[in-house]
C-alpha cells in the first residue's frame, strides 16, 4: 500500500471508514489498520473511532518527500521533486543534475544544507529542522537579458506562497531578500549557465532559503540583529511541507510571472533613505523599481540613477541607522 495514497484519502476530510479506504486502495481492512498504526508511530495524529473510521488531525513536524508530495498532489512538477534530509547545496545539486540533462521543473528541497550559499559567495545559515531550502531548475532557452527580472519574480512568487500558507505579509528588500518585522527571513540566489555557441541560456537555477520555525535565540549571535523567522516574527508555527509545496506551485510560473506591481507595493526600499555601496558610498532615496528590476534612486544632489547590481542598504534595516 502506498502510504501517500492513504494520507491523501484522509487529508482534509472528516472520518473515512476502513472499508472505504480498503476499496479505494485495493487492500483489506486489516492492511488499512496496520498502515494507520505505522503512521501513528511516526507522529501522524490520527483519530480512530469505531463505526466511523479514521480522521487525520495533524501531520508530524517534518519536511519529507512524502509530505511535500502529499500537498503537491497532481502538480506537473510532483514527479520531478525530491526532498533530501541533508544536502550540500540545493543549487549546486541542481547544477550537477542540469549537466546530466535533468529537465525543466526539476526541484530539490532540503531540510538541511551543509554548504548553503547566498549572493557574492556568502555562506547561508541552513540549520536543519526549522527552514526550507529549495531550488528549481528552469530551461527557458532565451537570451540572458530576458531573465533580468528572474530574481524579482522569485521574490514575488515566494511572498505569495508565504501569504497563502501563513497569512504573513512579507516585504521585499531589493533585490533578493524577504523581510518580516524588519528581519530577513528569506534569501534568493539565481544562477545561469550560458551556451557558448548560441549565447542562449542553457539553464537557470533559482534557489530560495526560508527561515520558518527557528526561535530568535537560535540564530548565531552575529545574525540575531538581522535574521528572523516566520515563527519568531509572528508566533505562527509553519507546516514546512505545505509551504514547500506552495512555493513549488508559485515558482512553476517563472519566468512568465507578472511581478512588477506587487514587487513595488511590497518593496521596503521605496521612499526610504538608502546607501549604494560600492567603490564609493552614495546616499539618496529609492523612488521606484524599473521594468528590468533595477532600483531607481534619487541621489542627494537630485540626480536619478539606476542600480542594477550590488548592495543597497536601507536606513533603519539590518543595523543601518
Amino acid at each position: 500500500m502506498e502510504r501517500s495514497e492513504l494520507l491523501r484519502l484522509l487529508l482534509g476530510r472528516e472520518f473515512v471508514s476502513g472499508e472505504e479506504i480498503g476499496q479505494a486502495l485495493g487492500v483489506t481492512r486489516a492492511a488499512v489498520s496496520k498502515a494507520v498504526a505505522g503512521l501513528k508511530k511516526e507522529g501522524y495524529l490520527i483519530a480512530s473511532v469505531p463505526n466511523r473510521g479514521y480522521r487525520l488531525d495533524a501531520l508530524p513536524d517534518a519536511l519529507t518527500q512524502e509530505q511535500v508530495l502529499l500537498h503537491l498532489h497532481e502538480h506537473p512538477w510532483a514527479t520531478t521533486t525530491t526532498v533530501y534530509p541533508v544536502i550540500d547545496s540545493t543549487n549546486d545539486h541542481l547544477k550537477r543534475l542540469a549537466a546530466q540533462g535533468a529537465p525543466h521543473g526539476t526541484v530539490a528541497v532540503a531540510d538541511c544544507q551543509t554548504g548553503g550559499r547566498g549572493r557574492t559567495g556568502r555562506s547561508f545559515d541552513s540549520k536543519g529542522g526549522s527552514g526550507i531550502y529549495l531550488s528549481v531548475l528552469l530551461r527557458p532557452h532565451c537570451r540572458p537579458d530576458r531573465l533580468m527580472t528572474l530574481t524579482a519574480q522569485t521574490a514575488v512568487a515566494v511572498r505569495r506562497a508565504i501569504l497563502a500558507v501563513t497569512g504573513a505579509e512579507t516585504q521585499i528588500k531589493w533585490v533578493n531578500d524577504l523581510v518580516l518585522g524588519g528581519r530577513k527571513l528569506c534569501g534568493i540566489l539565481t544562477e545561469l549557465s550560458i551556451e557558448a555557441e548560441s549565447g542562449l541560456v542553457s539553464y537557470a537555477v533559482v534557489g530560495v532559503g526560508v527561515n520558518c520555525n527557528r526561535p530568535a535565540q537560535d540564530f548565531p549571535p552575529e545574525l540575531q540583529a538581522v535574521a528572523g523567522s516566520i515563527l519568531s516574527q509572528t508566533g505562527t508555527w509553519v507546516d514546512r511541507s505545505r509551504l514547500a509545496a506552495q512555493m513549488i506551485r508559485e515558482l512553476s510560473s517563472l519566468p512568465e510571472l507578472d511581478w512588477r506591481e506587487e514587487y513595488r507595493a511590497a518593496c521596503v526600499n521605496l521612499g526610504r533613505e538608502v546607501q549604494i555601496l560600492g567603490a564609493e558610498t552614495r546616499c539618496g532615496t529609492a523612488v521606484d523599481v524599473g521594468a528590468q528590476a533595477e532600483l531607481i534612486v534619487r541621489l542627494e544632489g537630485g540626480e536619478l540613477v539606476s542600480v542594477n547590481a550590488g548592495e543597497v542598504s536601507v536606513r533603519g534595516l539590518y543595523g543601518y541607522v
Side-chain angles (χ1 to χ4, degrees):
M1 178 193 308
E2 287 287 342
R3 299 190 323 159
S4 58
E5 293 299 323
L6 171 56
L7 288 169
R8 285 195 184 99
L9 286 172
L10 295 174
L11 189 65
R13 299 179 61 185
E14 281 299 314
F15 287 94
V16 185
S17 71
E19 182 179 0
E20 180 182 344
I21 295 171
Q23 289 177 349
L25 301 181
V27 298
T28 65
R29 293 179 64 178
V32 172
S33 179
K34 183 178 179 180
V36 168
L39 290 173
K40 287 182 177 180
K41 287 182 180 180
E42 294 180 18
Y44 292 85
L45 187 60
I46 301 175
S48 304
V49 176
N51 300 319
R52 299 192 68 187
Y54 305 99
R55 184 183 65 203
L56 177 63
D57 289 333
L59 300 168
D61 178 35
L63 183 63
T64 65
Q65 176 98 6
E66 187 170 69
Q67 290 193 42
V68 171
L69 295 187
L70 177 67
H71 292 292
L72 201 59
H73 182 47
E74 294 185 350
H75 188 276
W77 286 7
T79 58
T80 52
T81 294
T82 305
V83 182
Y84 302 90
V86 181
I87 204 169
D88 56 348
S89 158
T90 54
N91 263 35
D92 288 349
H93 179 67
L94 285 193
K95 287 193 292 184
R96 292 190 292 267
L97 292 183
Q100 299 168 17
H104 175 86
T106 300
V107 181
V109 186
D111 180 70
C112 175
Q113 292 183 125
T114 58
R117 294 179 292 109
R119 294 174 67 225
T120 66
R122 297 171 180 167
S123 65
F124 188 91
D125 188 47
S126 308
K127 183 178 180 180
S130 61
I132 298 171
Y133 314 106
L134 183 154
S135 298
V136 301
L137 172 64
L138 308 175
R139 292 196 181 274
H141 204 66
C142 63
R143 299 188 311 274
D145 60 356
R146 293 283 303 277
L147 299 181
M148 291 289 291
T149 62
L150 186 56
T151 297
Q153 290 171 305
T154 300
V156 169
V158 177
R159 181 181 185 273
R160 290 179 180 179
I162 293 173
L163 177 62
V165 173
T166 73
E169 287 269 10
T170 57
Q171 294 177 293
I172 302 170
K173 177 188 174 294
W174 187 90
V175 59
N176 71 325
D177 291 353
L178 291 189
V179 178
L180 190 59
R183 303 294 180 92
K184 176 179 176 176
L185 62 83
C186 170
I188 298 164
L189 176 64
T190 302
E191 300 181 278
L192 305 181
S193 176
I194 311 299
E195 295 175 352
E197 293 185 4
S198 67
L200 299 178
V201 175
S202 173
Y203 66 80
V205 172
V206 178
V208 181
V210 182
N211 297 325
C212 297
N213 296 328
R214 194 165 185 178
Q217 66 273 16
D218 195 39
F219 287 97
E222 66 273 16
L223 295 180
Q224 289 189 4
V226 175
S229 70
I230 298 171
L231 175 65
S232 71
Q233 298 307 106
T234 69
T236 300
W237 191 269
V238 182
D239 182 337
R240 292 185 296 147
S241 292
R242 182 183 171 205
L243 178 55
Q246 188 63 31
M247 287 167 60
I248 293 167
R249 290 182 184 278
E250 298 289 352
L251 291 169
S252 67
S253 66
L254 298 176
E256 292 80 22
L257 178 69
D258 185 8
W259 64 278
R260 192 177 176 198
E261 182 177 346
E262 187 172 339
Y263 190 101
R264 293 163 75 185
C267 185
V268 71
N269 303 68
L270 297 189
R272 303 274 288 275
E273 185 177 329
V274 298
Q275 288 183 340
I276 305 171
L277 308 178
E280 62 173 314
T281 298
R282 296 178 292 172
C283 296
T285 301
V287 296
D288 202 358
V289 176
Q292 297 301 309
E294 72 275 23
L295 186 67
I296 300 172
V297 178
R298 188 183 305 278
L299 298 179
E300 290 179 336
E303 178 188 3
L304 285 176
V305 297
S306 295
V307 184
N308 295 294
E311 293 296 322
V312 174
S313 182
V314 183
R315 182 177 288 278
L317 192 69
Y318 300 178
Y320 168 37
V321 297

